[in-house]
Amino acid sequence: MFSFFTYLSLPSIYRPKIAKAIDIPPVRTCNIELEKGKPGRSLKYLLKLNHVTYSILYHDLQFHNHLPHLLGSAYLLGSDVTHIQDLYDKEAESLEKWEVSPGEVSKHDWKDFLGQRKYQRAFIDFFEDELVQSGYDWRKVVDTYLLQGKRPLLNNVISGLGHPLIHLGYAMELGSKEVAMEALGLAATCYNFMHKYIDEPLYSKPSKKKSASLLEILELVRKDDRFDGIFDGPGSEDMKTLFDRQEEAVLEYWNSWEITDPKQQFENSQHAAACLLSATVSHGNQAYDFFLVHTLTSSHAVRILIPCFPSVNHLSLVRQWWLLTLTVYITQLRPRIDPESVSTYDLRDRDWAWVEKIASEGKWSHDAHFVKALRALKEAAQTWGDEERFYLKAAVKFADQFTGWFGFAEIEGGH
């Protein structure tokens, strides 16, 4: 099935520049255009069908189209044609077809429309015109519009709860120009205020609280009474409220993560992401947080993209992820993180094959976020090794206990 699996080989535009690099190997990827097996051909067709039929944003422009994530995950986990088609049919039931935008965007004014979600169709049309002009070299279009310029779109891929970042990761894994153009469309339409924290150096300044451990920082955040009483309940619509009321405190903790060993600390950040999903759910409490899972799946996307981008962008991606993670943790009311609840979890002889089967055939195999989370944990284990089987235990615990998502409110781009 994966006869065309390869490791990302990038054109010269992606060759690393001199900077603090996170030197990790690329993941195995596929070129979906060249796949000869039936599952691959089915995936290619369905990705194209989704691309031309369904909008990237729906439900009053608040929810995101996850079909590429779900189908791509199922394919990469080895699902057959029937299951992939079934996933498409069920997920498509809730999606909405494209609507005409109020106007067009062009090369001369596209930045004027950033953050205007009603222009989603116009942005997709614009990026696809650029794709034609580039000779269908979608990586060149990504480089031009994501990496170039004074305020590159790359500096705000955590907008919309990280969905532009996640979508781009799947574009790279699947080798899909359609998914890549959608990722650019999401980056443009979901563009928000958080770009300034990466664009403007003045927000990155030394903090009095310095630590190399994200879990240690998050524990300090949990106990910080400056965040008490801001929110009546969880929900990412509070992101802007959080910064309006406690920007200084948030940035203090954001800057307190002192990165001196980028590779090791990126590994630690993936461990922290696994904890935010699986170690915030105590025994007898099966309420897994819908927003916290995005800290894991967006971390997975960063892991996919780091080997694809110049080294000068590596720390920016990781620090963006940390800003998103910190923000989501606070808006989701700072749950206690208990890594021991994962490290002591009884596997009962279950392994990654069991996890893959649950992801592909289990009760929740049609839930995009459930499947993506299990894939992210597996990829982290493969990237760093899992001698203590922490990632495996996190995956088994999550799969065992999951009964649905909680943590919702009226959301700003959460689904």
Side-chain angles (χ1 to χ4, degrees):
M1 167 174 145
F2 300 132
S3 57
F4 284 90
F5 258 120
T6 185
Y7 290 85
L8 285 172
S9 177
L10 301 168
S12 59
I13 57 172
Y14 286 98
R15 287 176 187 162
K17 302 174 185 178
I18 297 174
K20 279 190 175 182
I22 299 175
D23 185 16
I24 54 176
V27 299
R28 289 203 313 164
T29 64
C30 66
N31 185 338
I32 200 61
E33 296 294 331
L34 302 178
E35 287 296 316
K36 294 181 178 180
K38 288 183 178 180
R41 296 202 310 271
S42 177
L43 176 62
K44 178 177 71 173
Y45 168 75
L46 293 174
L47 289 176
K48 292 178 185 293
L49 183 60
N50 172 64
H51 183 72
V52 300
T53 306
Y54 298 114
S55 59
I56 54 176
L57 298 167
Y58 66 104
H59 190 75
D60 296 326
L61 304 179
Q62 296 298 298
F63 292 174
H64 301 82
N65 184 333
H66 292 92
L67 254 176
H69 314 172
L70 180 58
L71 300 182
S73 293
Y75 174 71
L76 294 168
L77 287 169
S79 294
D80 60 22
V81 173
T82 301
H83 184 57
I84 292 173
Q85 181 67 57
D86 185 49
L87 291 176
Y88 181 92
D89 292 340
K90 285 184 169 58
E91 185 73 7
E93 291 175 0
S94 64
L95 299 178
E96 296 173 6
K97 293 186 177 181
W98 286 108
E99 294 184 1
V100 178
S101 296
E104 297 181 349
V105 301
S106 71
K107 213 166 190 174
H108 305 290
D109 65 6
W110 67 277
K111 286 191 175 182
D112 295 338
F113 297 93
L114 291 177
Q116 298 189 44
R117 297 186 176 206
K118 61 185 177 180
Y119 282 87
Q120 59 170 323
R121 179 70 253 182
F123 269 112
I124 293 295
D125 290 341
F126 169 66
F127 289 127
E128 291 192 331
D129 286 345
E130 293 300 292
L131 182 64
V132 174
Q133 294 298 316
S134 74
Y136 291 94
D137 184 347
W138 63 267
R139 288 182 174 85
K140 184 177 180 181
V141 179
V142 168
D143 175 76
T144 299
Y145 288 97
L146 201 71
L147 302 182
Q148 303 302 321
K150 184 179 179 181
R151 295 171 178 266
L153 281 181
L154 184 68
N155 286 353
N156 197 217
V157 289
I158 59 169
S159 62
L161 204 57
H163 284 98
L165 175 63
I166 296 166
H167 219 82
L168 186 62
Y170 277 94
M172 292 292 182
E173 281 194 280
L174 300 173
S176 169
K177 62 181 182 294
E178 287 81 15
V179 179
M181 296 306 101
E182 292 164 8
L184 290 176
L186 286 170
T189 54
C190 295
Y191 196 79
N192 67 14
F193 72 97
M194 293 179 78
H195 74 89
K196 67 182 181 182
Y197 301 115
I198 304 298
D199 282 335
E200 303 294 340
L202 64 93
Y203 292 105
S204 296
K205 52 189 176 183
S207 171
K208 296 179 181 178
K209 300 180 174 72
K210 291 185 179 180
S211 175
S213 168
L214 291 185
L215 291 181
E216 181 179 287
I217 296 170
L218 290 172
E219 179 61 14
L220 293 175
V221 171
R222 188 177 73 86
K223 296 177 179 178
D224 193 328
D225 60 12
R226 286 178 292 178
F227 301 118
D228 291 350
I230 297 177
F231 316 115
D232 294 329
S236 74
E237 90 283 6
D238 287 321
M239 285 186 179
K240 187 66 169 64
T241 299
L242 173 63
F243 281 87
D244 287 344
R245 295 182 61 177
Q246 286 292 348
E247 178 187 69
E248 184 178 352
V250 174
L251 296 182
E252 176 185 316
Y253 284 112
W254 181 50
N255 286 309
S256 69
W257 189 31
E258 190 173 29
I259 302 178
T260 56
D261 186 345
K263 181 179 179 180
Q264 180 61 56
Q265 286 176 261
F266 177 56
E267 177 181 352
N268 294 345
S269 77
Q270 292 221 285
H271 178 269
C275 288
L276 281 165
L277 175 67
S278 287
T280 51
V281 177
S282 59
H283 180 71
N285 173 17
Q286 299 175 343
Y288 280 87
D289 191 292
F290 177 80
F291 294 96
L292 289 179
V293 73
H294 288 80
T295 68
L296 174 62
T297 54
S298 59
S299 176
H300 170 74
V302 173
R303 187 269 173 269
I304 300 302
L305 294 174
I306 279 176
C308 304
F309 286 160
S311 56
V312 71
N313 299 118
H314 291 183
L315 291 186
S316 171
L317 276 173
V318 173
R319 294 193 77 232
Q320 272 194 81
W321 171 84
W322 169 226
L323 183 59
L324 173 66
T325 296
L326 178 61
T327 304
V328 171
Y329 180 69
I330 297 171
T331 59
Q332 295 309 103
L333 307 184
R334 298 170 289 155
R336 179 172 176 267
I337 303 170
D338 179 18
E340 189 176 345
S341 69
V342 175
S343 61
T344 60
Y345 197 77
D346 187 1
L347 289 173
R348 301 203 307 271
D349 296 325
R350 289 168 293 183
D351 57 12
W352 284 114
W354 180 87
V355 173
E356 290 180 8
K357 185 174 182 180
I358 292 295
S360 298
E361 303 174 16
K363 176 182 178 181
W364 299 100
S365 63
H366 291 82
D367 186 294
H369 296 88
F370 177 82
V371 177
K372 287 191 293 182
L374 292 177
R375 267 203 71 228
L377 292 167
K378 182 186 176 187
E379 185 61 47
Q382 292 176 333
T383 298
W384 308 111
D386 199 17
E387 185 176 345
E388 296 181 358
R389 299 189 294 179
F390 186 87
Y391 291 111
L392 176 59
K393 290 177 180 179
V396 171
K397 179 177 184 285
F398 172 57
D400 263 352
Q401 297 179 342
F402 185 74
T403 59
W405 298 109
F406 99 108
F408 296 98
E410 291 295 324
I411 59 178
E412 183 274 315
H415 190 275

